[in-house]
Amino acid sequence: MIPADIIIQNGTVLTQDSCERTYKDGAVAVRGNIIVGVGPSDEFRSWNANTLIDAGGGIIMPGLVNSHVHVPMSLFRGLADDLPLLQWLNDHIFPAEAHHINPETVRIGALLSSAEMILSGTTTFCDGYFFEHEVAMAVKESGMRAVLGQGVIDFPAPGVPNPNENIRHASTFARTWLEGWPSITPSIFCHSPYTCSAETLKSAKAAADSMGVLFQIHACETRNEWDRINSEQGRTPIAYLDRLGLLDQNTLLAHVVWVDDYDIDILAEREAKVSHNPESNMKLASGIAPIPKMLNAGITVGIGTDGCASNNNLDLLQEMDTASKLHKVHALDPTVMDSSTLLKMATIWGAQAVGLDDKIGSIEVGKEADIIVIDTERPHLVPMYDPVSHIIYAVNGSDVRDVMVAGRILLKDRKLLTLDVDKLLERVTLLEKSIKR
């Protein structure tokens, strides 16, 4: 008998590998944190596992990758809605952060977001915020996988009252976590081209490059940003970032709404990555990113929720549904952003966007076992002619039954195994009262 620790069986396996192999009656074997077998169930008759997970005829697929989020901001969910971005930031979010963000609140917000994401099938997220060490500690507790960027901005920020210390602080965080925990990958996150000087941007990118970590930045999110950078620099934000030497295969840009064909050519040539955040962009009326053009140009695009303060949830399944329909109606073309494209954006392309596609994003032998099981025995999910279409247009977060990261089961039969949700909600409720004052 071939030994395994866990075998997940009796389900449709969507591998998301380069051939997009699907096994209608398939199984996946896991030993330790690694996938050691995947294929038709018949091939596993000679296998023996300590734990058998019966998918019940559901969908077995890679865990979802949220390529852009600010997890501590779940504490500000619904705090200030229906406002333009700059008014939302300057009049509400920045003051709330100044008064209420500290190591303890960051950790609680990160745990709350982790619980929400696990329950809706996300196994990996790419974060950028302050007190990111506390986010890392929350990730360890939850069992999730994450790329974590310590925030850099050119004015006093939570944990970094002296802006002159922003690069040093971010670099210290990244060095600390380079070998700190297997499922945590550090990063450096500059807020935007309009809140960071050219010198700060170049220094942050140089620091990220020196450690071989991802450089993240918000870019081209609003028309106001485009107008400001174009007026001050005489070029588009993308051209400006390119002139500073910030764009390459280890750069992830979030939003990227206000770009033209020339900008897209630059991004494609530099092999920079993009995170598409449609619900946040819709809610803040920022615009519609030309994602179909980017994909046609060969740009790697992942999908993200952004933070709860501007979304207001972290359900990546809902985000995929929104993204597909938004671009269809915008283009007046029902074939645009088909379900297969969206699923890749949330799995293997999302993993590529955050620099982890050698480890995750698909179910393949040798990759780490980040796997979810979706319960399809529900009225809104039968009949099921096309499982990929179902995931994009019918499945929601509450249909996720089991979640595994690196071979460790985090959610079993809808029960979180790593976090005490009741205790966490009590703590969040107490914080809510202080934030509302």
Side-chain angles (χ1 to χ4, degrees), residues 404-423:
M404 173 190 301
V405 173
R408 180 187 181 190
I409 300 172
L410 310 185
L411 182 74
K412 183 170 178 56
D413 296 325
R414 292 296 297 168
K415 180 176 176 57
L416 277 167
L417 303 184
T418 57
L419 298 174
D420 186 333
V421 175
D422 291 337
K423 184 180 292 185

mmCIF file of all heavy atoms in Angstrom, residues 404-423:
data_model
loop_
_atom_site.group_PDB
_atom_site.id
_atom_site.type_symbol
_atom_site.label_atom_id
_atom_site.label_comp_id
_atom_site.label_asym_id
_atom_site.label_seq_id
_atom_site.Cartn_x
_atom_site.Cartn_y
_atom_site.Cartn_z
ATOM 1 N N MET A 404 -7.905 23.336 3.719
ATOM 2 C CA MET A 404 -6.609 22.825 4.141
ATOM 3 C C MET A 404 -5.516 23.767 3.641
ATOM 4 O O MET A 404 -5.566 24.230 2.498
ATOM 5 C CB MET A 404 -6.405 21.425 3.546
ATOM 6 C CG MET A 404 -5.045 20.812 3.741
ATOM 7 S SD MET A 404 -4.869 19.300 2.730
ATOM 8 C CE MET A 404 -6.217 18.299 3.380
ATOM 9 N N VAL A 405 -4.539 24.062 4.491
ATOM 10 C CA VAL A 405 -3.365 24.838 4.088
ATOM 11 C C VAL A 405 -2.119 24.056 4.490
ATOM 12 O O VAL A 405 -1.958 23.697 5.661
ATOM 13 C CB VAL A 405 -3.351 26.238 4.732
ATOM 14 C CG1 VAL A 405 -2.032 26.966 4.422
ATOM 15 C CG2 VAL A 405 -4.531 27.069 4.249
ATOM 16 N N ALA A 406 -1.267 23.801 3.499
ATOM 17 C CA ALA A 406 -0.027 23.046 3.740
ATOM 18 C C ALA A 406 -0.311 21.732 4.462
ATOM 19 O O ALA A 406 0.425 21.325 5.362
ATOM 20 C CB ALA A 406 0.976 23.890 4.512
ATOM 21 N N GLY A 407 -1.403 21.083 4.072
ATOM 22 C CA GLY A 407 -1.740 19.784 4.635
ATOM 23 C C GLY A 407 -2.399 19.820 5.996
ATOM 24 O O GLY A 407 -2.752 18.774 6.547
ATOM 25 N N ARG A 408 -2.604 21.013 6.530
ATOM 26 C CA ARG A 408 -3.245 21.163 7.842
ATOM 27 C C ARG A 408 -4.697 21.566 7.640
ATOM 28 O O ARG A 408 -4.986 22.536 6.933
ATOM 29 C CB ARG A 408 -2.517 22.223 8.661
ATOM 30 C CG ARG A 408 -3.106 22.461 10.044
ATOM 31 C CD ARG A 408 -2.417 23.642 10.697
ATOM 32 N NE ARG A 408 -2.923 23.895 12.044
ATOM 33 C CZ ARG A 408 -2.639 24.978 12.764
ATOM 34 N NH1 ARG A 408 -1.828 25.913 12.269
ATOM 35 N NH2 ARG A 408 -3.146 25.136 13.965
ATOM 36 N N ILE A 409 -5.622 20.854 8.246
ATOM 37 C CA ILE A 409 -7.044 21.150 8.093
ATOM 38 C C ILE A 409 -7.426 22.312 9.004
ATOM 39 O O ILE A 409 -7.280 22.239 10.219
ATOM 40 C CB ILE A 409 -7.897 19.913 8.409
ATOM 41 C CG1 ILE A 409 -7.545 18.763 7.450
ATOM 42 C CG2 ILE A 409 -9.387 20.246 8.302
ATOM 43 C CD1 ILE A 409 -8.200 17.443 7.805
ATOM 44 N N LEU A 410 -7.897 23.402 8.383
ATOM 45 C CA LEU A 410 -8.311 24.602 9.130
ATOM 46 C C LEU A 410 -9.821 24.671 9.313
ATOM 47 O O LEU A 410 -10.301 25.269 10.276
ATOM 48 C CB LEU A 410 -7.839 25.870 8.405
ATOM 49 C CG LEU A 410 -6.378 25.957 7.980
ATOM 50 C CD1 LEU A 410 -6.084 27.336 7.403
ATOM 51 C CD2 LEU A 410 -5.447 25.648 9.144
ATOM 52 N N LEU A 411 -10.550 24.088 8.358
ATOM 53 C CA LEU A 411 -12.017 24.093 8.399
ATOM 54 C C LEU A 411 -12.488 22.696 8.047
ATOM 55 O O LEU A 411 -12.101 22.145 7.013
ATOM 56 C CB LEU A 411 -12.572 25.105 7.390
ATOM 57 C CG LEU A 411 -14.094 25.278 7.344
ATOM 58 C CD1 LEU A 411 -14.581 26.068 8.553
ATOM 59 C CD2 LEU A 411 -14.524 25.995 6.054
ATOM 60 N N LYS A 412 -13.310 22.121 8.904
ATOM 61 C CA LYS A 412 -13.859 20.790 8.641
ATOM 62 C C LYS A 412 -15.356 20.815 8.886
ATOM 63 O O LYS A 412 -15.812 21.181 9.975
ATOM 64 C CB LYS A 412 -13.199 19.742 9.536
ATOM 65 C CG LYS A 412 -13.676 18.320 9.248
ATOM 66 C CD LYS A 412 -12.844 17.289 9.961
ATOM 67 C CE LYS A 412 -13.362 15.873 9.698
ATOM 68 N NZ LYS A 412 -13.425 15.554 8.266
ATOM 69 N N ASP A 413 -16.108 20.468 7.858
ATOM 70 C CA ASP A 413 -17.574 20.485 7.956
ATOM 71 C C ASP A 413 -18.088 21.832 8.471
ATOM 72 O O ASP A 413 -18.951 21.901 9.346
ATOM 73 C CB ASP A 413 -18.066 19.349 8.849
ATOM 74 C CG ASP A 413 -17.758 17.987 8.267
ATOM 75 O OD1 ASP A 413 -17.807 17.854 7.032
ATOM 76 O OD2 ASP A 413 -17.438 17.068 9.045
ATOM 77 N N ARG A 414 -17.499 22.920 7.949
ATOM 78 C CA ARG A 414 -17.872 24.308 8.274
ATOM 79 C C ARG A 414 -17.466 24.729 9.688
ATOM 80 O O ARG A 414 -17.856 25.816 10.138
ATOM 81 C CB ARG A 414 -19.381 24.548 8.101
ATOM 82 C CG ARG A 414 -19.869 24.502 6.669
ATOM 83 C CD ARG A 414 -19.274 25.597 5.814
ATOM 84 N NE ARG A 414 -19.633 26.947 6.245
ATOM 85 C CZ ARG A 414 -19.046 28.052 5.782
ATOM 86 N NH1 ARG A 414 -18.047 27.973 4.922
ATOM 87 N NH2 ARG A 414 -19.430 29.239 6.205
ATOM 88 N N LYS A 415 -16.671 23.967 10.379
ATOM 89 C CA LYS A 415 -16.224 24.325 11.718
ATOM 90 C C LYS A 415 -14.752 24.719 11.684
ATOM 91 O O LYS A 415 -13.898 23.936 11.265
ATOM 92 C CB LYS A 415 -16.428 23.167 12.701
ATOM 93 C CG LYS A 415 -15.982 23.499 14.125
ATOM 94 C CD LYS A 415 -16.296 22.370 15.083
ATOM 95 C CE LYS A 415 -15.746 22.673 16.483
ATOM 96 N NZ LYS A 415 -16.270 23.950 17.024
ATOM 97 N N LEU A 416 -14.466 25.935 12.145
ATOM 98 C CA LEU A 416 -13.087 26.393 12.220
ATOM 99 C C LEU A 416 -12.348 25.633 13.312
ATOM 100 O O LEU A 416 -12.832 25.539 14.452
ATOM 101 C CB LEU A 416 -13.039 27.890 12.515
ATOM 102 C CG LEU A 416 -13.202 28.834 11.314
ATOM 103 C CD1 LEU A 416 -13.441 30.255 11.793
ATOM 104 C CD2 LEU A 416 -11.974 28.773 10.416
ATOM 105 N N LEU A 417 -11.177 25.125 12.986
ATOM 106 C CA LEU A 417 -10.418 24.331 13.938
ATOM 107 C C LEU A 417 -9.281 25.100 14.593
ATOM 108 O O LEU A 417 -8.734 24.659 15.600
ATOM 109 C CB LEU A 417 -9.839 23.091 13.239
ATOM 110 C CG LEU A 417 -10.844 22.173 12.543
ATOM 111 C CD1 LEU A 417 -10.128 20.957 11.982
ATOM 112 C CD2 LEU A 417 -11.963 21.756 13.495
ATOM 113 N N THR A 418 -8.905 26.250 14.038
ATOM 114 C CA THR A 418 -7.749 26.989 14.559
ATOM 115 C C THR A 418 -8.123 28.254 15.312
ATOM 116 O O THR A 418 -7.286 28.807 16.035
ATOM 117 C CB THR A 418 -6.796 27.362 13.412
ATOM 118 O OG1 THR A 418 -7.521 28.121 12.426
ATOM 119 C CG2 THR A 418 -6.199 26.121 12.766
ATOM 120 N N LEU A 419 -9.326 28.739 15.144
ATOM 121 C CA LEU A 419 -9.731 30.003 15.761
ATOM 122 C C LEU A 419 -11.025 29.811 16.547
ATOM 123 O O LEU A 419 -11.933 29.116 16.104
ATOM 124 C CB LEU A 419 -9.937 31.079 14.693
ATOM 125 C CG LEU A 419 -8.709 31.453 13.853
ATOM 126 C CD1 LEU A 419 -9.107 32.428 12.749
ATOM 127 C CD2 LEU A 419 -7.624 32.069 14.728
ATOM 128 N N ASP A 420 -11.092 30.476 17.711
ATOM 129 C CA ASP A 420 -12.300 30.490 18.526
ATOM 130 C C ASP A 420 -13.140 31.687 18.092
ATOM 131 O O ASP A 420 -12.914 32.815 18.540
ATOM 132 C CB ASP A 420 -11.930 30.587 20.012
ATOM 133 C CG ASP A 420 -13.135 30.463 20.932
ATOM 134 O OD1 ASP A 420 -14.250 30.807 20.500
ATOM 135 O OD2 ASP A 420 -12.957 30.042 22.099
ATOM 136 N N VAL A 421 -14.089 31.438 17.205
ATOM 137 C CA VAL A 421 -14.855 32.529 16.610
ATOM 138 C C VAL A 421 -15.690 33.262 17.651
ATOM 139 O O VAL A 421 -15.780 34.500 17.637
ATOM 140 C CB VAL A 421 -15.757 32.005 15.469
ATOM 141 C CG1 VAL A 421 -16.647 33.124 14.942
ATOM 142 C CG2 VAL A 421 -14.903 31.454 14.344
ATOM 143 N N ASP A 422 -16.312 32.547 18.570
ATOM 144 C CA ASP A 422 -17.163 33.194 19.570
ATOM 145 C C ASP A 422 -16.364 34.180 20.412
ATOM 146 O O ASP A 422 -16.802 35.320 20.649
ATOM 147 C CB ASP A 422 -17.812 32.144 20.479
ATOM 148 C CG ASP A 422 -18.842 31.301 19.740
ATOM 149 O OD1 ASP A 422 -19.356 31.777 18.709
ATOM 150 O OD2 ASP A 422 -19.125 30.173 20.189
ATOM 151 N N LYS A 423 -15.202 33.761 20.856
ATOM 152 C CA LYS A 423 -14.365 34.652 21.657
ATOM 153 C C LYS A 423 -13.881 35.842 20.821
ATOM 154 O O LYS A 423 -13.837 36.973 21.304
ATOM 155 C CB LYS A 423 -13.171 33.879 22.203
ATOM 156 C CG LYS A 423 -12.268 34.690 23.134
ATOM 157 C CD LYS A 423 -11.105 33.871 23.650
ATOM 158 C CE LYS A 423 -11.584 32.783 24.588
ATOM 159 N NZ LYS A 423 -10.442 32.037 25.202
#
